[in-house]
Amino acid sequence: EKGSPTVVGLLVLGNIIILMSGLALFAETVWVTADQYRVYPLLGVSGKDDVFAGAWIAIFTGFSFFVVASFGIGAVLCHSRGMLLTYLLLMLIVYVFECASSITSYTHRDYVVSNPALITKQMLTYYNAPTSQGQELTRFWDRVMIEQQCCGTSGPLDWVNFTSAFREATPEVVFPWPPLCCRRDANFNPLNEDGCRLGHQDYLFTKGCFEHIGHAIDSYTWGISWFGFAILMWTLPVMLLAMYYYTIL
Amino acid sequence: MGFPQGRLLLLPLLLLTGIQTGTSLEPINYTPAITREPLEGSITSSTFTLDQPNDQFNGSGISDLDDIWLVVAFSNASQSFEPPQSAQDIPYAATFLDKKYYLTIRASRDLYSSKRGSQGISVLRVGNETNCTRSDCNKPLPGPGPYRVKFLVMNTNGPVAGTNWSEDITLRKPVEFSESRPPSKSAGTIVIIAILSILLSLLFLALVALLVYTW
């Protein structure tokens, strides 16, 4: 029945913080999976959707942190060696999974939005392409361009400077960029079709959509990777302390 | 004194007569240029957009009924350009590749006056008409150029006046998009991977040491 009360107190406090953070991680990654920015089609078509895989793993690990840390509090207060060892082993497993989630999410985010190249290439290849992936991406870009009032990835000149599936369907003289890039009135009619064709900024969206897409994916990744990283940084000293407590029990 | 000076006198006379028989165009000191309006599509791969030459045709030799044409020529053919002497000789876009120049966008002095374009922007888009069947169509240009343009005033007797040639206008050539730079690992990735690997290995080693020590 040995065990100094300070170590017990510290361990209980540490585990309470872990269990609350775990619950917060669980709730936050449920939000990420719900994809309120609806950028999943972009990642899904490219095959680099492991930002969301990281989110699913973090849902599991967040809840596990909650459960195992509660068990840890019980083990510490019961002064039981067996329970403490079980706690340590379970925590190690959850730790490994959380590391995996954090690293996967961040690496895939880098792949997709560190520079506009991947998204631009995908947009030029799939927008208005007749395949099923093309239709999915066309719906995605149409929605983003209308909602965010932007055009193309870096701007409407993406469609002029590079060849694309859109260009094969629509010759440049007819419309140099998708007609959805035109500013429209409340009845969804273009304000001035000739002005839009010429590219006057009063009749065309000249902003690129990359900023919005990058912001959405960054929000998801920050919530999974950096938050998970912070929890892991805190969990390590708590576990080292628990190991020390195991030796003096 | 004598022979060399005699030759010198002859030369200026020849030059003067040369100028008069070749062209009788009144020169208008205006250089056509790509529009300065903030238009994204001022130069595309088959069209370009010029500022309208507003109020440039107020010379005495030009009347309200004269036609003002836009001459589009390949840059290397612009020096050897001879204005067509009558309305029947005018080359149109259909023979552009043979003759290396053509005339299009027929207008009059009244259309190029700043009083008209009070609302909106006044520009000329060369290459704007895709499906027209007239002879003087403003068809899309056949390649990246470079091209030069000038405005030519003609009446029933022939050419009357002309502006200067513009600078070279080179159109865009759309290329295949290439992901030239592989996506780089940002600093955050390196930090996360490095630190988490260290922490995980530390934890694992500590647990193994614990089990060995206390078993």
Side-chain angles (χ1 to χ4, degrees), chain B residues 95-109:
Chain B
T95 54
F96 182 34
L97 293 170
D98 295 326
K99 291 214 163 64
K100 308 288 182 225
Y101 70 94
Y102 68 102
L103 272 67
T104 188
I105 308 184
R106 187 172 65 158
S108 65
R109 178 161 72 182

Side-chain angles (χ1 to χ4, degrees), chain B residues 18 21 34 45 47 53 58 66 85 102 110-111 114 122-123 131-132 135 147 151-152 156 166 171 176 182 185 205:
Chain B
T21 52
I34 297 286
S45 68
T47 69
N58 294 330
D66 290 345
Q85 293 303 308
Y102 68 102
D110 181 52
L111 291 171
S114 49
S122 59
V123 290
N131 46 358
C132 85
S135 50
Y147 303 103
F151 289 93
L152 187 68
T156 45
S166 68
L171 303 183
E176 177 95 29
K185 297 254 180 294
L205 289 173

